[in-house]
Short mmCIF file of all heavy atoms in Angstrom, two decimals:
data_model
loop_
_atom_site.label_atom_id
_atom_site.label_comp_id
_atom_site.label_asym_id
_atom_site.label_seq_id
_atom_site.Cartn_x
_atom_site.Cartn_y
_atom_site.Cartn_z
N ARG A 1 146.33 30.51 178.58
CA ARG A 1 147.80 30.45 178.53
C ARG A 1 148.42 31.23 179.68
O ARG A 1 149.39 30.79 180.30
CB ARG A 1 148.31 30.99 177.20
CG ARG A 1 148.01 30.09 176.03
CD ARG A 1 148.41 30.71 174.72
NE ARG A 1 149.86 30.81 174.63
CZ ARG A 1 150.49 31.59 173.74
NH1 ARG A 1 149.80 32.31 172.89
NH2 ARG A 1 151.80 31.64 173.70
N LEU A 2 147.85 32.40 179.96
CA LEU A 2 148.38 33.23 181.05
C LEU A 2 148.23 32.51 182.39
O LEU A 2 149.16 32.49 183.20
CB LEU A 2 147.65 34.58 181.07
CG LEU A 2 148.11 35.58 182.13
CD1 LEU A 2 149.58 35.94 181.92
CD2 LEU A 2 147.23 36.83 182.07
N TYR A 3 147.07 31.92 182.61
CA TYR A 3 146.84 31.20 183.87
C TYR A 3 147.81 30.03 184.02
O TYR A 3 148.41 29.84 185.07
CB TYR A 3 145.39 30.72 183.94
CG TYR A 3 145.07 29.93 185.19
CD1 TYR A 3 145.37 30.44 186.44
CD2 TYR A 3 144.47 28.69 185.10
CE1 TYR A 3 145.08 29.71 187.60
CE2 TYR A 3 144.18 27.96 186.24
CZ TYR A 3 144.48 28.47 187.49
OH TYR A 3 144.21 27.76 188.63
N ARG A 4 147.98 29.26 182.96
CA ARG A 4 148.91 28.13 183.00
C ARG A 4 150.32 28.61 183.33
O ARG A 4 151.01 28.03 184.18
CB ARG A 4 148.96 27.42 181.65
CG ARG A 4 147.79 26.54 181.35
CD ARG A 4 147.92 26.08 179.89
NE ARG A 4 146.92 25.12 179.57
CZ ARG A 4 147.19 23.88 179.15
NH1 ARG A 4 148.43 23.50 178.97
NH2 ARG A 4 146.22 23.05 178.87
N LYS A 5 150.73 29.66 182.62
CA LYS A 5 152.10 30.17 182.82
C LYS A 5 152.27 30.71 184.24
O LYS A 5 153.28 30.45 184.89
CB LYS A 5 152.41 31.25 181.78
CG LYS A 5 153.84 31.69 181.77
CD LYS A 5 154.83 30.55 181.65
CE LYS A 5 154.91 29.93 180.30
NZ LYS A 5 155.94 28.89 180.21
N MET A 6 151.29 31.45 184.73
CA MET A 6 151.38 31.98 186.09
C MET A 6 151.42 30.85 187.12
O MET A 6 152.17 30.91 188.08
CB MET A 6 150.20 32.92 186.38
CG MET A 6 150.33 34.26 185.70
SD MET A 6 148.94 35.34 186.01
CE MET A 6 149.09 35.59 187.77
N PHE A 7 150.62 29.82 186.88
CA PHE A 7 150.60 28.67 187.78
C PHE A 7 151.98 28.02 187.83
O PHE A 7 152.49 27.68 188.90
CB PHE A 7 149.53 27.67 187.34
CG PHE A 7 149.34 26.55 188.30
CD1 PHE A 7 148.52 26.70 189.42
CD2 PHE A 7 149.98 25.33 188.11
CE1 PHE A 7 148.34 25.66 190.32
CE2 PHE A 7 149.81 24.28 189.01
CZ PHE A 7 148.99 24.45 190.12
N GLN A 8 152.58 27.86 186.65
CA GLN A 8 153.91 27.25 186.59
C GLN A 8 154.96 28.14 187.26
O GLN A 8 155.82 27.65 188.00
CB GLN A 8 154.31 27.00 185.14
CG GLN A 8 153.54 25.87 184.50
CD GLN A 8 153.85 25.77 183.02
OE1 GLN A 8 153.84 26.76 182.30
NE2 GLN A 8 154.14 24.55 182.58
N VAL A 9 154.89 29.44 187.02
CA VAL A 9 155.88 30.36 187.59
C VAL A 9 155.74 30.44 189.11
O VAL A 9 156.74 30.41 189.84
CB VAL A 9 155.75 31.76 186.95
CG1 VAL A 9 156.53 32.81 187.73
CG2 VAL A 9 156.21 31.72 185.50
N LEU A 10 154.52 30.51 189.59
CA LEU A 10 154.29 30.62 191.03
C LEU A 10 154.60 29.32 191.78
O LEU A 10 154.78 29.32 192.99
CB LEU A 10 152.86 31.06 191.31
CG LEU A 10 152.53 32.50 190.88
CD1 LEU A 10 151.04 32.78 191.04
CD2 LEU A 10 153.36 33.51 191.65
N ASN A 11 154.61 28.23 191.03
CA ASN A 11 154.92 26.92 191.62
C ASN A 11 156.16 26.33 190.94
O ASN A 11 156.19 25.14 190.60
CB ASN A 11 153.73 25.98 191.47
CG ASN A 11 152.52 26.46 192.23
OD1 ASN A 11 152.50 26.43 193.45
ND2 ASN A 11 151.52 26.95 191.50
N SER A 12 157.15 27.16 190.73
CA SER A 12 158.33 26.75 189.95
C SER A 12 159.13 25.62 190.59
O SER A 12 159.94 24.99 189.91
CB SER A 12 159.23 27.95 189.68
OG SER A 12 159.65 28.52 190.91
N GLN A 13 158.88 25.36 191.84
CA GLN A 13 159.60 24.26 192.49
C GLN A 13 159.09 22.90 192.03
O GLN A 13 159.71 21.87 192.29
CB GLN A 13 159.53 24.38 194.03
CG GLN A 13 158.16 24.15 194.64
CD GLN A 13 157.30 25.42 194.72
OE1 GLN A 13 157.46 26.34 193.93
NE2 GLN A 13 156.39 25.44 195.67
N TYR A 14 157.94 22.88 191.32
CA TYR A 14 157.35 21.63 190.83
C TYR A 14 157.37 21.59 189.31
O TYR A 14 157.42 22.62 188.65
CB TYR A 14 155.89 21.50 191.29
CG TYR A 14 155.73 21.58 192.80
CD1 TYR A 14 155.19 22.72 193.39
CD2 TYR A 14 156.10 20.52 193.62
CE1 TYR A 14 155.03 22.81 194.77
CE2 TYR A 14 155.96 20.59 195.01
CZ TYR A 14 155.42 21.74 195.56
OH TYR A 14 155.27 21.82 196.92
N THR A 15 157.29 20.39 188.79
CA THR A 15 157.16 20.19 187.36
C THR A 15 155.79 19.57 187.11
O THR A 15 155.42 18.59 187.78
CB THR A 15 158.26 19.23 186.83
OG1 THR A 15 159.53 19.78 187.18
CG2 THR A 15 158.16 19.07 185.33
N PHE A 16 155.06 20.15 186.18
CA PHE A 16 153.69 19.69 185.92
C PHE A 16 153.60 19.08 184.54
O PHE A 16 154.16 19.61 183.57
CB PHE A 16 152.71 20.87 186.03
CG PHE A 16 152.73 21.53 187.37
CD1 PHE A 16 153.38 22.74 187.55
CD2 PHE A 16 152.13 20.93 188.47
CE1 PHE A 16 153.41 23.37 188.79
CE2 PHE A 16 152.16 21.54 189.72
CZ PHE A 16 152.80 22.76 189.88
N SER A 17 152.86 17.99 184.45
CA SER A 17 152.63 17.36 183.15
C SER A 17 151.60 18.18 182.38
O SER A 17 150.83 18.96 182.95
CB SER A 17 152.13 15.93 183.34
OG SER A 17 150.81 15.94 183.87
N GLU A 18 151.55 17.97 181.09
CA GLU A 18 150.57 18.66 180.24
C GLU A 18 149.15 18.28 180.65
O GLU A 18 148.25 19.11 180.63
CB GLU A 18 150.83 18.33 178.76
CG GLU A 18 150.03 19.15 177.78
CD GLU A 18 150.33 20.65 177.85
OE1 GLU A 18 151.45 21.05 178.21
OE2 GLU A 18 149.41 21.44 177.54
N MET A 19 148.98 17.03 181.05
CA MET A 19 147.66 16.56 181.48
C MET A 19 147.22 17.33 182.75
O MET A 19 146.06 17.73 182.86
CB MET A 19 147.70 15.05 181.77
CG MET A 19 146.33 14.42 181.92
SD MET A 19 146.48 12.62 181.89
CE MET A 19 146.37 12.29 183.62
N TYR A 20 148.13 17.53 183.66
CA TYR A 20 147.82 18.26 184.88
C TYR A 20 147.45 19.72 184.55
O TYR A 20 146.48 20.27 185.06
CB TYR A 20 149.02 18.22 185.83
CG TYR A 20 148.73 18.77 187.20
CD1 TYR A 20 148.17 17.97 188.19
CD2 TYR A 20 149.02 20.10 187.51
CE1 TYR A 20 147.91 18.47 189.46
CE2 TYR A 20 148.76 20.61 188.77
CZ TYR A 20 148.19 19.80 189.74
OH TYR A 20 147.94 20.29 190.98
N LEU A 21 148.22 20.34 183.66
CA LEU A 21 147.95 21.72 183.26
C LEU A 21 146.61 21.83 182.51
O LEU A 21 145.88 22.81 182.69
CB LEU A 21 149.09 22.27 182.41
CG LEU A 21 150.41 22.49 183.15
CD1 LEU A 21 151.53 22.85 182.19
CD2 LEU A 21 150.26 23.54 184.24
N ASN A 22 146.29 20.83 181.73
CA ASN A 22 144.98 20.81 181.06
C ASN A 22 143.85 20.74 182.08
O ASN A 22 142.82 21.41 181.94
CB ASN A 22 144.87 19.63 180.09
CG ASN A 22 145.65 19.86 178.83
OD1 ASN A 22 145.94 20.99 178.45
ND2 ASN A 22 146.01 18.78 178.15
N CYS A 23 144.05 19.94 183.09
CA CYS A 23 143.04 19.81 184.15
C CYS A 23 142.86 21.14 184.86
O CYS A 23 141.73 21.57 185.13
CB CYS A 23 143.47 18.72 185.14
SG CYS A 23 142.28 18.46 186.48
N ILE A 24 143.94 21.83 185.15
CA ILE A 24 143.86 23.15 185.79
C ILE A 24 143.12 24.13 184.89
O ILE A 24 142.28 24.90 185.36
CB ILE A 24 145.28 23.66 186.13
CG1 ILE A 24 145.84 22.86 187.29
CG2 ILE A 24 145.28 25.14 186.43
CD1 ILE A 24 147.28 23.18 187.59
N SER A 25 143.42 24.09 183.62
CA SER A 25 142.75 24.99 182.67
C SER A 25 141.25 24.75 182.64
O SER A 25 140.46 25.69 182.55
CB SER A 25 143.30 24.78 181.25
OG SER A 25 144.60 25.29 181.18
N GLN A 26 140.86 23.49 182.71
CA GLN A 26 139.44 23.16 182.68
C GLN A 26 138.72 23.66 183.93
O GLN A 26 137.51 23.87 183.91
CB GLN A 26 139.25 21.64 182.53
CG GLN A 26 139.68 21.14 181.17
CD GLN A 26 139.72 19.62 181.10
OE1 GLN A 26 139.45 18.93 182.07
NE2 GLN A 26 140.07 19.11 179.93
N GLN A 27 139.45 23.85 185.01
CA GLN A 27 138.86 24.32 186.26
C GLN A 27 138.91 25.85 186.40
O GLN A 27 138.46 26.40 187.40
CB GLN A 27 139.58 23.68 187.45
CG GLN A 27 139.54 22.18 187.46
CD GLN A 27 138.12 21.62 187.37
OE1 GLN A 27 137.24 22.09 188.07
NE2 GLN A 27 137.92 20.65 186.50
N MET A 28 139.43 26.52 185.39
CA MET A 28 139.62 27.96 185.48
C MET A 28 138.31 28.71 185.70
O MET A 28 138.26 29.67 186.47
CB MET A 28 140.31 28.49 184.22
CG MET A 28 140.87 29.87 184.40
SD MET A 28 142.03 30.31 183.11
CE MET A 28 141.03 31.41 182.15
N ASP A 29 137.23 28.28 185.07
CA ASP A 29 135.93 28.94 185.26
C ASP A 29 135.45 28.86 186.70
O ASP A 29 134.83 29.79 187.21
CB ASP A 29 134.87 28.36 184.33
CG ASP A 29 135.03 28.83 182.89
OD1 ASP A 29 135.68 29.87 182.68
OD2 ASP A 29 134.50 28.15 181.98
N GLN A 30 135.74 27.76 187.35
CA GLN A 30 135.33 27.60 188.75
C GLN A 30 136.29 28.30 189.71
O GLN A 30 135.86 28.91 190.69
CB GLN A 30 135.24 26.11 189.11
CG GLN A 30 134.10 25.41 188.40
CD GLN A 30 134.12 23.91 188.65
OE1 GLN A 30 135.15 23.35 189.02
NE2 GLN A 30 132.99 23.26 188.45
N LEU A 31 137.58 28.24 189.41
CA LEU A 31 138.57 28.83 190.29
C LEU A 31 138.62 30.36 190.17
O LEU A 31 138.95 31.04 191.14
CB LEU A 31 139.96 28.26 190.00
CG LEU A 31 140.13 26.77 190.23
CD1 LEU A 31 141.49 26.29 189.75
CD2 LEU A 31 139.96 26.45 191.72
N LYS A 32 138.34 30.86 188.98
CA LYS A 32 138.35 32.30 188.68
C LYS A 32 139.60 32.99 189.23
O LYS A 32 139.52 33.90 190.06
CB LYS A 32 137.10 32.98 189.23
CG LYS A 32 135.84 32.50 188.56
CD LYS A 32 134.65 33.33 188.99
CE LYS A 32 133.44 32.73 188.33
NZ LYS A 32 132.50 33.64 187.86
N PRO A 33 140.77 32.59 188.73
CA PRO A 33 142.00 33.19 189.25
C PRO A 33 142.12 34.69 188.95
O PRO A 33 142.82 35.41 189.65
CB PRO A 33 143.11 32.41 188.52
CG PRO A 33 142.45 31.91 187.28
CD PRO A 33 141.02 31.64 187.66
N PHE A 34 141.42 35.17 187.93
CA PHE A 34 141.46 36.59 187.57
C PHE A 34 140.15 37.28 187.91
O PHE A 34 139.90 38.40 187.45
CB PHE A 34 141.76 36.75 186.08
CG PHE A 34 143.02 36.06 185.63
CD1 PHE A 34 142.97 34.99 184.75
CD2 PHE A 34 144.26 36.48 186.08
CE1 PHE A 34 144.12 34.36 184.32
CE2 PHE A 34 145.42 35.85 185.67
CZ PHE A 34 145.35 34.79 184.79
N GLY A 35 139.29 36.61 188.66
CA GLY A 35 137.98 37.17 188.97
C GLY A 35 137.13 37.27 187.71
O GLY A 35 137.14 36.38 186.87
N ASP A 36 136.40 38.39 187.59
CA ASP A 36 135.55 38.61 186.41
C ASP A 36 136.28 39.36 185.29
O ASP A 36 135.68 39.70 184.28
CB ASP A 36 134.30 39.40 186.80
CG ASP A 36 133.32 38.58 187.62
OD1 ASP A 36 133.39 37.34 187.54
OD2 ASP A 36 132.49 39.17 188.33
N VAL A 37 137.55 39.64 185.49
CA VAL A 37 138.32 40.43 184.52
C VAL A 37 138.28 39.82 183.11
O VAL A 37 138.04 40.55 182.14
CB VAL A 37 139.77 40.65 185.01
CG1 VAL A 37 140.63 41.27 183.92
CG2 VAL A 37 139.77 41.52 186.25
N PRO A 38 138.51 38.51 182.94
CA PRO A 38 138.48 37.97 181.58
C PRO A 38 137.16 38.22 180.84
O PRO A 38 137.16 38.63 179.68
CB PRO A 38 138.73 36.47 181.77
CG PRO A 38 139.50 36.40 183.04
CD PRO A 38 138.92 37.49 183.90
N LYS A 39 136.04 37.99 181.53
CA LYS A 39 134.74 38.20 180.88
C LYS A 39 134.50 39.66 180.57
O LYS A 39 134.07 40.02 179.47
CB LYS A 39 133.61 37.64 181.75
CG LYS A 39 133.58 36.13 181.75
CD LYS A 39 132.43 35.58 182.55
CE LYS A 39 132.53 34.06 182.51
NZ LYS A 39 131.52 33.39 183.27
N LYS A 40 134.78 40.53 181.54
CA LYS A 40 134.57 41.97 181.34
C LYS A 40 135.48 42.51 180.24
O LYS A 40 135.04 43.26 179.37
CB LYS A 40 134.81 42.74 182.64
CG LYS A 40 133.73 42.52 183.67
CD LYS A 40 134.04 43.29 184.94
CE LYS A 40 132.96 43.07 185.99
NZ LYS A 40 133.29 43.77 187.25
N LEU A 41 136.75 42.12 180.28
CA LEU A 41 137.70 42.59 179.28
C LEU A 41 137.34 42.08 177.89
O LEU A 41 137.42 42.83 176.91
CB LEU A 41 139.11 42.16 179.68
CG LEU A 41 140.25 42.77 178.89
CD1 LEU A 41 140.27 44.28 179.06
CD2 LEU A 41 141.58 42.18 179.35
N THR A 42 136.94 40.83 177.81
CA THR A 42 136.53 40.26 176.53
C THR A 42 135.35 41.02 175.94
O THR A 42 135.36 41.36 174.75
CB THR A 42 136.20 38.76 176.68
OG1 THR A 42 137.38 38.07 177.13
CG2 THR A 42 135.72 38.15 175.37
N VAL A 43 134.35 41.30 176.75
CA VAL A 43 133.18 42.04 176.27
C VAL A 43 133.59 43.42 175.78
O VAL A 43 133.17 43.86 174.70
CB VAL A 43 132.10 42.14 177.38
CG1 VAL A 43 131.03 43.16 177.03
CG2 VAL A 43 131.47 40.79 177.63
N GLU A 44 134.41 44.12 176.56
CA GLU A 44 134.82 45.48 176.19
C GLU A 44 135.69 45.51 174.94
O GLU A 44 135.49 46.34 174.06
CB GLU A 44 135.54 46.16 177.36
CG GLU A 44 134.65 46.45 178.55
CD GLU A 44 133.47 47.35 178.21
OE1 GLU A 44 133.64 48.33 177.47
OE2 GLU A 44 132.37 47.05 178.70
N ILE A 45 136.66 44.61 174.87
CA ILE A 45 137.53 44.57 173.70
C ILE A 45 136.73 44.20 172.46
O ILE A 45 136.87 44.83 171.40
CB ILE A 45 138.71 43.59 173.92
CG1 ILE A 45 139.70 44.20 174.90
CG2 ILE A 45 139.40 43.25 172.61
CD1 ILE A 45 140.84 43.28 175.29
N LYS A 46 135.88 43.20 172.59
CA LYS A 46 135.08 42.78 171.44
C LYS A 46 134.18 43.92 170.97
O LYS A 46 134.10 44.20 169.77
CB LYS A 46 134.25 41.55 171.81
CG LYS A 46 133.57 40.91 170.64
CD LYS A 46 132.92 39.60 171.02
CE LYS A 46 132.26 38.98 169.82
NZ LYS A 46 131.60 37.73 170.15
#
């Protein structure tokens, strides 16, 4: 959700369909917009 929202905010001049945002979400593991933070934080919090 954070990645989607940041993508929309940083590209506010465009309007994205839900399908496009779903596609971006599916590529999050490859794009790693937050680096290793999600995995590390998840392990530590858990």
Side-chain angles (χ1 to χ4, degrees):
R1 289 175 68 196
L2 182 61
Y3 178 52
R4 284 172 173 239
K5 188 52 74 177
M6 285 179 64
F7 187 83
Q8 288 173 312
V9 167
L10 293 173
N11 296 289
S12 59
Q13 69 272 27
Y14 303 107
T15 303
F16 301 103
S17 69
E18 190 62 29
M19 193 168 101
Y20 188 86
L21 291 172
N22 285 338
C23 181
I24 288 174
S25 289
Q26 291 170 359
Q27 301 305 314
M28 196 165 105
D29 284 340
Q30 291 174 340
L31 297 173
K32 295 188 183 219
F34 305 114
D36 288 339
V37 171
K39 287 183 182 178
K40 289 178 180 178
L41 191 61
T42 298
V43 167
E44 293 301 318
I45 287 175
K46 189 172 181 181

